[in-house]
Amino acid sequence: MPFQPQQFASDNYSGVCPQAWASMQEANTGHVPAYGDDPWTARAADAFRSLFATNCEVFFAFNGTAANSLALASLGQSYHGVICADSSHVETDECGAPEFFSNGSKLLAVPTYGGKLTPESIRHIATARTDIHFPKPRVVTITQPTETGQVYSLDEIRAISAVCRELGLRLHMDGARFANACASLGCSPADMSWRAGVDVLCFGGTKNGMAVGEAILFFNRDLAQDFDYRCKQAGQLASKMRYLSAPWVGMLESGAWLSNATHGNACARYFAERIAEVPDVRLAFPVQANSVFVRMPEALSEALHAKGWLFYNFIGGSHRFMFAWDADRQYIDQLVADFHASAPAHPA
Ligand SMILES: *Cc1c(COP(=O)(O)O)cnc(C)c1O
């Protein structure tokens, strides 16, 4: 069976972008202190503080599951509840890690369209039960952009955080593709996070073009107390930390974090526009970030698979196409051509 040289099944099929790679290379000289007491880690944390224009606490973890789970665990006690969307990564793709690392906090999954929570849905679940038999709602987690590529507007985030403040809930943001949302809204990282009321952000590096790594940013610094111990206990404290932190220096100081995301988003729109005319093909969600969710006849998806294209049947029965920092027009055009060539013929 053929295998296409570039795939759009996941943004994690891509390699490492040159800016992240160059910093890794540069960090690979001589000896520096271990466990984060090195100049690269300090420089990466400072780069985050300057990008976000605030004196936040910054931590580095290997992946998003750990970043989300440990961040959520730090926001409540084991008897607390964490309000999330039904299709959120924490609910559907982290193997119970948020519950595990919080020693039993219950995820309170809310039915949503496309993964977006609303102030009303949060208020509803946070106030539905006030008796001692139900886990006490304490945290809200939103994914920006959502797992289906929907971007919360600044007003939507502000409205959610207003309800959180009113009800005594803390607000966490899963930003596995935070950069794509920033690029989509054209807003500053600060406006989309702490200025909109987010307490803790998990900023994804892997899908943004790094080999590995997510940053956890505590805008509410009090909540970061002992977070370093939590990371260590969970096996997330890198001894040769410079290799986890140095790529961030390259990403943030060069602006690659944003240009990579801008490119991925543009490629998603480019693809979506070109398959829109294929017979019986529909977009399942509006394209607002670097993903395109496609509804298509079974015969068409089978024909594309037979041509060597990999993609997943995802949330709600649609097929997901993701566009990474290195998405290449040449291969997107080839995929579009294969869509057209394999589409069902309609009698005139
Ligand atoms: C990819 C992703 C993560 C992180 O996943 P890991 O595989 O644990 O790195 C977290 N949240 C969302 C929404 C994601 O898409």
Side-chain angles (χ1 to χ4, degrees):
M1 197 166 106
F3 182 86
Q4 299 294 338
Q6 186 170 86
Q7 295 285 355
F8 305 100
S10 166
D11 24 11
N12 278 340
Y13 278 36
S14 66
V16 181
C17 73
Q19 296 88 346
W21 191 265
S23 293
M24 290 271 269
Q25 181 79 41
E26 213 189 310
N28 195 33
T29 40
H31 286 203
V32 299
Y35 296 109
D37 293 326
D38 64 278
W40 285 99
T41 302
R43 194 166 146 195
D46 282 342
F48 272 111
R49 287 187 271 265
S50 98
L51 179 65
F52 281 81
T54 187
N55 188 24
C56 51
E57 292 275 2
V58 183
F59 300 87
F60 300 99
F62 288 102
N63 63 28
T65 298
N68 281 337
S69 303
L70 296 172
L72 292 174
S74 72
L75 298 182
Q77 301 290 336
S78 58
Y79 49 82
H80 282 139
V82 176
I83 298 168
C84 65
D86 52 355
S87 53
S88 64
H89 199 270
V90 292
E91 165 74 2
T92 65
D93 282 305
E94 298 191 354
C95 197
E99 294 93 331
F100 177 75
F101 283 112
S102 61
N103 286 313
S105 291
K106 187 174 165 64
L107 291 179
L108 307 171
V110 175
T112 62
Y113 168 74
K116 265 196 193 181
L117 292 175
T118 62
E120 297 72 34
S121 62
I122 292 167
R123 182 186 302 282
H124 178 75
I125 194 159
T127 56
R129 288 277 299 270
T130 52
D131 58 279
I132 195 141
H133 305 285
F134 190 71
K136 189 176 184 187
R138 185 73 170 116
V139 183
V140 171
T141 173
I142 57 175
T143 311
Q144 173 75 328
T146 71
E147 289 70 8
T148 64
Q150 307 311 293
V151 176
Y152 286 93
S153 70
L154 296 186
D155 281 341
E156 286 174 326
I157 301 171
R158 291 180 193 129
I160 285 173
S161 78
V163 158
C164 289
R165 272 195 305 279
E166 181 195 326
L167 300 176
L169 305 168
R170 285 159 175 166
L171 183 56
H172 164 264
M173 181 179 277
D174 175 351
R177 298 185 184 87
F178 183 88
N180 297 91
C182 267
S184 178
L185 291 180
C187 69
S188 77
D191 283 344
M192 212 171 73
S193 56
W194 62 274
R195 283 196 196 120
V198 173
D199 293 305
V200 181
L201 166 69
C202 294
F203 189 128
T206 314
K207 286 167 183 153
N208 197 205
M210 286 169 37
V212 62
E214 316 279 305
I216 303 132
L217 276 55
F218 284 86
F219 304 114
N220 180 340
R221 293 166 60 94
D222 295 341
L223 296 172
Q225 201 193 342
D226 292 345
F227 194 74
D228 45 349
Y229 286 86
R230 212 180 268 287
C231 288
K232 172 68 190 182
Q233 187 183 49
Q236 290 291 319
L237 177 63
S239 49
K240 290 190 180 177
M241 181 70 94
R242 63 173 138 159
Y243 297 101
L244 206 50
S245 55
W248 283 113
V249 172
M251 296 292 287
L252 302 185
E253 291 185 359
S254 71
W257 72 277
L258 188 59
S259 54
N260 285 354
T262 302
H263 175 77
N265 291 0
C267 288
R269 281 197 309 277
Y270 178 87
F271 172 72
E273 282 161 15
R274 276 153 192 78
I275 58 160
E277 291 128 40
V278 178
D280 294 342
V281 165
R282 302 275 173 280
L283 298 183
F285 297 100
V287 177
Q288 297 177 343
N290 67 327
S291 55
V292 179
F293 287 80
V294 181
R295 292 196 190 283
M296 62 177 123
E298 191 71 20
L300 177 51
S301 72
E302 277 169 17
L304 291 169
H305 283 310
K307 289 194 154 96
W309 294 107
L310 303 177
F311 48 91
Y312 301 112
N313 199 332
F314 218 67
I315 301 165
S318 52
H319 301 276
R320 187 187 74 162
F321 296 86
M322 302 294 309
F323 298 86
W325 65 273
D326 66 341
D328 188 329
R329 285 277 164 95
Q330 177 193 338
Y331 301 113
I332 301 173
D333 288 340
Q334 184 58 55
L335 174 58
V336 169
D338 285 344
F339 258 87
H340 281 282
S342 313
H346 279 209

